[in-house]
Amino acid sequence: MKKFLTALAVLIVVAAAAVAGVFFLSRETASLTVEDGTGPQPKLPDPNPTFIPTVNVAKASPWPEGTKPTAAKGFAVNEFAGGLDHPRWLRVLPNGDVLVAETNAPPKPKDSRGIKGWIEGLLMGRVGAATTSANRITLLRDADGDGVAETKTIFLDNLNSPFGMTLSNGTLYIADTDAIVAVPYADGDMKASAAPKKIADLPAGPINHHWTKDVIASPDGSKLYATVGSNSNVGEQGEDAERNRAAVLEIDLATGQTRVFASGLRNPNGLSWNPESGALWVVVNERDEIGSDLVPDYMTSVKDGAFYGWPYSYYGQHVDSRPQPPRPGLVAEAIAPDYALGPHTASLGLTFNTGKLFGDAYRNGAFIGQHGSWNRKPASGYKVIFVPFKDGKPVGMPQDVLTGFRTDDDKALGRPVGVAIDSAGALLVADDVGNKVWRVTPDRAAAEAQ
């Protein structure tokens, strides 16, 4: 009983501090920079777990009137669309229309129950993630091509926490939190012409810890690939809760069969085909609570049948001692990802730049939306970055594209999530707390002034 009361007291202190705005609750801080944990060979110090996990949460709010993120030198940013309800994910259609998933987490009655669940709920509210899901796909149209959407219409509603979207052979596939559904699509449609048809179930249920599901079609349209995040941080819910999770699933549209394409990916999102190699790439949110420097989130090509370590190891074969019993045989099979994106950056969005608007230096490279950390002191992420690629592989260090989502006084103004390249080659960024979609272009005015 004494141990229980002690643990209870600690949790209450954590909750009270979070509510009061005390962001740093343990003595643990980063010993390395974010850049140290970035690139093809990140530095990986020893784990540094603490009894009270580091909690460094920025209170998030929408952008004040007339303000916007800060574009890096050479870029300009404008509001493409506003007045949205927690926009998370984007899909650009062939005619230039833009679909945006207005969505949030579904009810998860068994995810982190009790005091821990209550504390997590407080933290989610603080970062702007506790709103009810709008459960709809909205269509944005920029008819005059001035970089601002004039019309905003509901394309499809009454969905179940929709996220990823992909168009293939006249069919729009949508990844709800519990299933892939499909509707017909013809060029220029402003609204879905039929009710959604279920294509395949996806793991969900009453825990559904990582609820976002992304989807992309194979180039020939015969298969779908879907991401499913884990049901826990490091497997503490048990193996049964993780069946077909922490994985990319392959769905054969001819047979309806689903199989695990790649596994050991804690929370994958941002499925994208590399324009040079043709490989499937994904960004992955790694595990928490072993220090501000661990573990780097990453992006990687996804190999058929590959295991990427979660929960038994990270970044290849670096053993995590928390999951029990250990699985040394499985760890021996774990392969390291291609490119680290910094610890706890919550990298979610990924799109390859196949347009010509940004010039040769940006061609075929990756834009990445980093939603921002909670388990790192100092904070990481809260920005959009670009990683150059050559011959289908990342080269060099990332560069900032869009910042200003976290202020000097440790508040958050909006938070970037999904990214996409529009029909003119500009970068679109979904901002789920700002309730906007931003559009990034080259800064022509600055270039002409030089």
Side-chain angles (χ1 to χ4, degrees), residues 73 95 428:
K73 184 178 180 180
N95 73 332
L428 300 177

Coordinates of all heavy atoms in Angstrom, one line a residue, residues 73 95 428:
K73 N 15.0 31.5 -45.3 CA 15.5 32.3 -46.4 C 15.3 31.6 -47.7 O 15.7 30.4 -47.9 CB 16.9 32.6 -46.2 CG 17.5 33.6 -47.2 CD 19.0 33.9 -46.9 CE 19.5 34.9 -47.9 NZ 20.9 35.2 -47.7
N95 N -6.6 17.2 -60.7 CA -7.1 18.5 -61.3 C -6.6 19.7 -60.4 O -7.0 20.8 -60.7 CB -8.6 18.5 -61.4 CG -9.3 18.6 -60.1 OD1 -8.8 18.1 -59.1 ND2 -10.5 19.2 -60.1
L428 N 2.4 22.2 -49.5 CA 1.2 22.4 -48.6 C 1.5 21.7 -47.3 O 2.1 20.6 -47.2 CB 0.0 21.8 -49.2 CG -0.5 22.4 -50.6 CD1 -1.7 21.7 -51.0 CD2 -0.7 23.9 -50.5

